[in-house]
């Protein structure tokens, strides 16, 4: 294909010539001393062994290649009837804006699939070969017909609001043609259309709902050489798909597409068209370079190589996926991600899905992408206050489900109106964002005010009982049931109060509620337990279910942990009982397996963690299925499940809760060698480490904020050699304290290690590269 900037290798000179401010790990700087660790990673090569490859056209969403830029998204399959290619177009901003008299968000404010561009070949398809290039974030391939061939390249631009599909044809396939097929603007959860539907709705959800009135039909509004399809909404505004095809040669042409949403006006018409015109007028080489530069920097943020190449591929595909689904100002990661599939869940889900979708961004050193969540919380604080207003004026809460504007009254769905802990759980992620950066301005101006309002939700239901303890009234443990002294809420409230106290101590500030917070911390009732371990709450034993909401104090909060060995039997018994009862009832899910891996990692059990992780990747859960492209679905797509598998790997190789950086805390016996670089740890540290022949060979730590640093690893009584800045002292057999100022770094290595300290990938296992995608012709 003609050189448009996508075919040139991305070397350092190319990046600097384009004026890119990209932190290249391997770039030399003569003004700096030699690096403590030599970086030998060939990024295009390492990622190429993880590219997804198709030996035939994908036939379903679970096989489809996927592209995205945080808002806009494409995926590609063969049409159901066969014989044509379908490129599905989605935009996370496309959702209805009706008020809640139309029902809770699944009905009144559902996300809509935008539509599909179909490419119809002239001839009959006889073969295809596709590759999803992770490093360049583009789909390339060739479709062969009995009348010629179509070579294609597709991408969603990383930084600009458009996507492009480039075709190069041979033979009669110069006549292949595009057609646009919009999807009707109606929820994939069937709406209330009759009086009988309305009666059932009120019975199921405890609120009345209006009989559905369809949105107005979409209409073609072409202008100035740009094709436009406008879908108006009954509530006002609407969304526009704009496209134009540009020929570069007789057999080479490019389809450029954009989509925009506007409310309450129809400004999307001009916005989408303007995006297309700008893409057509832009320098293609520079646009291509900017796209690839963004993706190169995204991948370079940190590095991991495992001795299991298939699992390593799974990990890097999730990192690629994050580049498709998140941006600093791109909103919250949707239950589906940007690729909306028909399901009962066309919205954001806040009792687990949003949270576990985000965790892996922080330790993998991609904190800017996690900011999309916190930007949404900051921007829509008034919506959070409105949600709490009927329960505790002056507090903040988030409903069971919302759209990107976070609007949803707690009582919109009576099933979940007492699910109060969700915002506190999100605040724990916000707290980790602070801990990974030590950004005190974030803590003071953004996080602590929100956290105080999230805690205030509980004041009306806290009461002193005869035992002198403070007890909670009835709340809802996600997906299990309602109970007094619900462990989900007790754990989150205990964590939230502790974070408020610690945050103000760190800042040296006070607060009118500080004395009350300390009283709550001192007198909050212990977690209800029985012979099986932690209960759901005072009135409810553990039920067979996939959700671990009653175990939050163990993971992800680490309030109860193995640093107190006497507690470990209770923690392990509670976790085992939950997993066993769920599995026996067929209630386990893919994200139960990723959670199980993280629980096992919290206990230091690497073999058990790996077993759960491999079961997830293989799709061995009671509910749900993992697919050839690493996506996962239950009744519809659950983007969080494979993403949480990436976090399970992080939990196995690095943990930093409780004031210590635990290097290789839960490594299975099958992983004698392992390497990671520039993972983040609490206290704002960048950590790299290498494991050789079942031992930690070296650890490098860079302090970004000058915080106290304690390293825990398997060196026993052996004293490592210190290189670089700072000083070290032993705190015990497994712990070493490092003294580093902000900006300083140090490397520790075993005295017996004589080789260079290098970051480089482990060898690929034979026959395991490019194991995802569709292989074979069936």
């Amino acid at each position: 294909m003609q050189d448009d900037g996508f075919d040139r290798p991305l070397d350092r000179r190319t990046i600097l010539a384009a004026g890119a401010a990209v932190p290249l790990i391997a770039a030399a700087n003569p003004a700096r001393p030699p690096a403590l660790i030599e970086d030998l990673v060939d990024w295009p090569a390492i990622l190429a062994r993880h590219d997804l490859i198709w030996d035939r056209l994908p036939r379903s969403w679970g096989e489809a290649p996927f592209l995205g830029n945080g808002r806009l998204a494409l995926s590609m399959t063969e049409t159901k009837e066969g014989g044509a290619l379908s490129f599905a177009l989605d935009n996370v901003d496309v959702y209805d804006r009706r008020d809640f008299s139309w029902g809770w968000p699944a009905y009144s404010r559902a996300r809509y699939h935008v539509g599909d561009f179909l490419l119809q070949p002239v001839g009959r398809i006889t073969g295809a070969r596709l590759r999803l290039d992770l490093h360049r974030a583009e789909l390339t391939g060739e479709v062969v017909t009995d009348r010629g061939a179509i070579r294609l390249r597709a991408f969603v631009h990383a930084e600009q609001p458009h996507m492009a599909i480039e075709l190069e044809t041979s033979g009669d396939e110069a006549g292949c043609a595009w057609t646009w097929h919009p999807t009707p603007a109606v929820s994939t959860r069937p709406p209330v259309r009759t009086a009988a539907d309305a009666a059932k709705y009120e019975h199921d959800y405890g609120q009345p709902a209006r009989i559905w009135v369809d949105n107005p039909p979409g209409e073609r509004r072409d202008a100035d050489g740009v094709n436009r399809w406008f879908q108006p909404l009954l509530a006002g505004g609407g969304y526009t798909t704009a496209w134009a095809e540009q020929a570069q040669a007789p057999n080479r042409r490019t389809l450029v597409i954009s989509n925009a949403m506007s409310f309450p006006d129809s400004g999307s018409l001009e916005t989408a068209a303007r995006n297309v015109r700008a893409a057509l007028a832009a320098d293609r080489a520079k646009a291509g370079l900017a796209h690839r530069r963004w993706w190169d920097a995204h991948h370079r943020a940190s590095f991991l190589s495992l001795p299991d190449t298939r699992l390593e591929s799974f990990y890097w595909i999730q990192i690629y996926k994050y580049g498709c689904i998140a941006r600093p100002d791109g909103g919250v990661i949707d239950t589906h991600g940007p690729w909306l599939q028909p399901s009962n869940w066309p919205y954001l889900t806040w009792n687990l899905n949003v949270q576990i979708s985000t965790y892996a961004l922080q330790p993998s050193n991609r904190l800017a992408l996690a900011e999309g969540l916190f930007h949404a919380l900051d921007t829509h604080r008034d919506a959070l206050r409105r949600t709490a207003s009927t329960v505790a004026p002056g507090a903040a809460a988030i409903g069971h489900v919302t759209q990107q504007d976070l609007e949803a009254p707690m009582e919109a769905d009576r099933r979940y109106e007492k699910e109060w802990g969700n915002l506190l759980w999100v605040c724990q992620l916000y707290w980790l964002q602070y801990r990974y950066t030590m950004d005190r301005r974030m803590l003071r101006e953004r996080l602590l005010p929100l956290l105080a309002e999230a805690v205030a939700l509980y004041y009306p239901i806290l009461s002193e009982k005869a035992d002198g303890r403070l007890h909670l009234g009835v709340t809802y443990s996600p997906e299990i049931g309602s109970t007094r002294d619900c462990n989900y809420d007790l754990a989150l409230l205990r964590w939230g109060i502790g974070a408020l106290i610690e945050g103000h101590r760190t800042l040296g500030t006070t607060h009118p509620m500080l004395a009350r917070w300390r009283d709550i911390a001192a007198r909050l009732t212990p977690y209800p337990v029985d012979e099986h371990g932690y209960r759901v709450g005072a009135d409810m034993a553990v039920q067979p279910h996939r959700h671990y909401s009653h175990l939050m104090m163990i993971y992800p909060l680490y309030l109860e942990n193995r640093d107190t060995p006497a507690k470990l039997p209770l923690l392990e018994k509670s976790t085992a009982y939950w997993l066993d009862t769920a599995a026996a009832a067929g209630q386990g899910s893919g994200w139960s397996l990723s959670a199980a891996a993280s629980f096992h990692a919290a206990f230091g059990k690497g073999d058990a963690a790996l077993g759960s992780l491999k079961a997830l990747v293989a799709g061995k859960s009671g509910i749900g299925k993992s697919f050839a492209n690493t996506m996962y679905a239950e009744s519809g797509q659950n983007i969080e499940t494979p993403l949480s598998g990436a976090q399970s790997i992080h939990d196995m190789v690095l943990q930093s809760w409780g004031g210590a950086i635990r290097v290789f805390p839960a490594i299975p016996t099958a992983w004698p060698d392992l390497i990671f670089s520039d993972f983040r740890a609490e206290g704002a540290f960048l950590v790299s480490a290498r494991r050789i022949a079942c031992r930690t060979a070296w650890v490098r730590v860079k302090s970004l904020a000058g915080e106290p640093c304690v390293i825990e690893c398997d060196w026993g009584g052996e004293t490592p050699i210190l290189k670089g800045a700072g000083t070290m002292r032993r705190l015990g057999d497994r712990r070493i304290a490092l003294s580093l100022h902000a900006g300083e770094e140090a490397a520790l290595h075993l005295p017996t290690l004589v080789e260079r300290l290098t970051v480089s990938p482990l060898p690929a296992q034979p026959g395991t590269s490019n194991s995802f995608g569709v292989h074979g012709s069936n």
Side-chain angles (χ1 to χ4, degrees), residues 114-184:
V114 176
D116 303 82
F117 282 93
L118 267 56
L119 178 64
Q120 182 65 59
V122 174
R124 179 178 60 84
I125 296 173
T126 59
R129 175 85 169 172
L130 303 171
R131 186 181 194 111
L132 182 57
D133 184 323
L134 300 182
H135 185 237
R136 296 185 175 199
E138 61 180 72
L139 174 66
T140 61
E142 184 175 46
V143 178
V144 179
T145 77
D146 59 3
R147 302 281 295 275
I150 305 169
R151 293 183 64 199
L152 64 89
R153 176 161 54 211
F155 69 96
V156 178
H157 199 283
E159 298 177 303
Q160 299 170 14
H162 74 267
M163 54 198 75
I165 307 169
E166 179 183 302
L167 305 179
E168 185 176 300
T169 60
S170 62
D172 292 339
E173 289 304 338
C176 66
W178 289 106
T179 55
W180 164 239
H181 298 262
T183 299

Side-chain angles (χ1 to χ4, degrees), residues 449-618:
L450 176 63
L451 184 55
E453 292 182 354
V455 163
L457 185 70
Y458 288 90
Y459 296 158
I461 62 167
L462 269 175
S463 60
E464 183 178 350
K465 302 299 183 184
D467 60 1
R469 295 282 191 174
L470 295 175
H471 292 258
L472 285 177
V474 174
T475 56
Y476 182 80
S477 190
E479 302 204 9
I480 303 176
S482 297
T483 174
R484 293 176 301 112
D485 287 337
C486 175
N487 271 333
Y488 176 69
D489 296 275
L490 285 174
L492 287 164
L493 180 58
R494 184 169 274 116
W495 169 83
I497 292 287
L500 283 168
I501 294 170
E502 180 183 341
H504 282 285
R505 178 193 59 78
T506 298
L507 295 173
T509 54
T510 189
H511 191 280
M513 296 298 295
L514 193 57
R516 185 170 187 187
W517 293 337
R518 288 173 174 154
D519 180 59
I520 294 172
R523 295 199 296 136
L524 191 62
T525 190
Y527 306 114
V529 299
D530 59 21
E531 69 274 18
H532 302 300
Y534 291 117
R535 294 168 61 85
V536 177
D539 307 321
M540 183 177 289
V542 172
Q543 310 294 309
H545 207 279
R546 58 188 177 172
H547 207 301
Y548 53 93
S549 55
H550 63 298
L551 300 177
M552 296 283 290
M553 72 291 288
I554 305 174
Y555 181 86
L557 300 179
Y558 292 105
L559 297 175
E560 305 292 333
N561 56 68
R562 61 189 171 109
D563 277 358
T564 307
K567 291 186 176 181
L568 194 54
L570 171 62
L571 310 187
E572 293 180 331
K573 177 172 67 174
S574 300
T575 303
Y577 186 70
W578 162 61
L579 290 169
D580 290 346
T581 55
Q587 290 294 310
S589 72
W591 49 262
S592 300
L593 290 170
S594 65
S598 292
F599 275 95
H600 292 314
F603 305 146
K605 294 186 172 183
D607 288 340
L610 180 59
S612 295
L613 192 58
K614 285 199 164 188
L616 164 65
V617 176

Side-chain angles (χ1 to χ4, degrees), residues 298-319:
H298 168 73
H299 291 301
R300 289 174 183 266
S302 63
F303 177 73
L304 172 71
S305 188
L306 303 173
D308 183 327
T309 307
R310 177 175 167 81
L311 197 57
E312 183 180 295
S313 293
F314 174 85
Y315 176 84
W316 280 107
I317 293 168
Q318 306 322 304
I319 297 300

Side-chain angles (χ1 to χ4, degrees), residues 611-663:
S612 295
L613 192 58
K614 285 199 164 188
L616 164 65
V617 176
K620 296 178 179 177
S621 62
I623 301 173
K625 181 180 180 181
S626 298
F627 294 103
N629 59 2
T630 80
M631 295 293 189
Y632 171 87
E634 292 178 14
S635 74
Q637 180 174 340
N638 297 77
I639 195 70
E640 80 290 328
T641 297
L643 299 179
S644 66
Q647 177 60 9
S648 299
I649 295 173
H650 293 152
D651 290 331
M652 295 165 71
V653 303
L654 185 71
Q655 298 173 18
S656 58
W657 50 269
I661 299 172
R662 297 161 171 83
V663 179

Side-chain angles (χ1 to χ4, degrees), residues 215-484:
N215 283 302
E219 53 195 47
R220 191 74 175 258
R221 292 197 190 178
D222 299 349
D224 299 327
V226 176
N227 305 290
R228 303 190 305 184
W229 179 267
F230 177 62
Q231 173 59 63
L233 297 178
L234 189 70
Y239 50 97
T240 299
T241 302
W243 70 97
E245 195 167 20
Q246 185 180 67
Q248 286 83 43
N251 68 332
R252 187 167 183 263
R253 50 200 167 102
T254 300
L255 179 70
V256 176
I257 310 162
S258 187
N259 179 271
M261 172 78 202
S262 59
F263 176 81
D265 57 44
S266 58
S268 66
L269 273 161
E270 179 50 34
T271 300
R274 182 172 61 246
N275 294 340
V276 169
R277 287 193 293 267
L280 293 172
D283 183 305
R284 293 174 59 80
K286 288 183 178 179
L289 182 59
H291 170 82
R292 290 169 49 211
R293 185 176 63 226
W294 188 96
W295 277 97
D296 185 71
H298 168 73
H299 291 301
R300 289 174 183 266
S302 63
F303 177 73
L304 172 71
S305 188
L306 303 173
D308 183 327
T309 307
R310 177 175 167 81
L311 197 57
E312 183 180 295
S313 293
F314 174 85
Y315 176 84
W316 280 107
I317 293 168
Q318 306 322 304
I319 297 300
Y320 163 78
K321 205 177 288 180
Y322 271 123
C324 294
I325 68 177
R327 289 295 183 276
D329 62 349
V332 185
I333 296 174
D334 186 273
T335 305
H336 290 260
W339 308 282
L340 183 64
Q341 299 300 312
S343 83
N344 285 332
W345 307 323
Y347 44 63
L348 310 177
T349 311
W350 292 94
N351 68 353
L352 173 138
N353 306 62
V354 166
Q355 290 89 333
I356 69 173
S357 293
T358 308
Y359 276 118
L361 285 169
Q362 296 168 323
S364 71
N365 198 28
R366 293 168 176 86
L367 279 75
L369 298 188
E371 270 293 319
L373 170 60
F374 313 121
H375 176 75
L377 295 174
D378 296 343
T379 302
H380 301 297
R381 283 281 292 280
D382 286 345
L384 303 179
R385 291 168 180 146
R386 283 191 289 272
T387 298
S389 62
T390 58
V391 175
I398 200 158
H400 178 68
V401 302
T402 72
Q403 289 299 349
Q404 294 289 339
D405 59 7
L406 311 192
E407 293 280 1
M410 298 289 278
E411 64 273 15
D413 183 347
R414 293 287 184 181
R415 298 173 303 171
Y416 305 120
E417 64 180 325
K418 291 187 178 296
E419 190 177 82
W420 285 11
N422 300 340
L423 180 56
L424 271 177
W425 190 354
V426 178
C427 283
Q428 190 246 351
L429 275 160
Y430 212 153
W431 175 264
L432 289 175
Q433 191 82 345
Y434 153 67
R435 287 289 300 159
Y436 283 115
T437 60
M438 299 308 297
D439 182 341
R440 293 193 175 198
R441 182 175 179 181
M442 173 196 295
L443 178 67
R444 179 179 62 254
E445 298 179 5
R446 299 169 60 192
L447 173 55
L448 288 182
L450 176 63
L451 184 55
E453 292 182 354
V455 163
L457 185 70
Y458 288 90
Y459 296 158
I461 62 167
L462 269 175
S463 60
E464 183 178 350
K465 302 299 183 184
D467 60 1
R469 295 282 191 174
L470 295 175
H471 292 258
L472 285 177
V474 174
T475 56
Y476 182 80
S477 190
E479 302 204 9
I480 303 176
S482 297
T483 174
R484 293 176 301 112

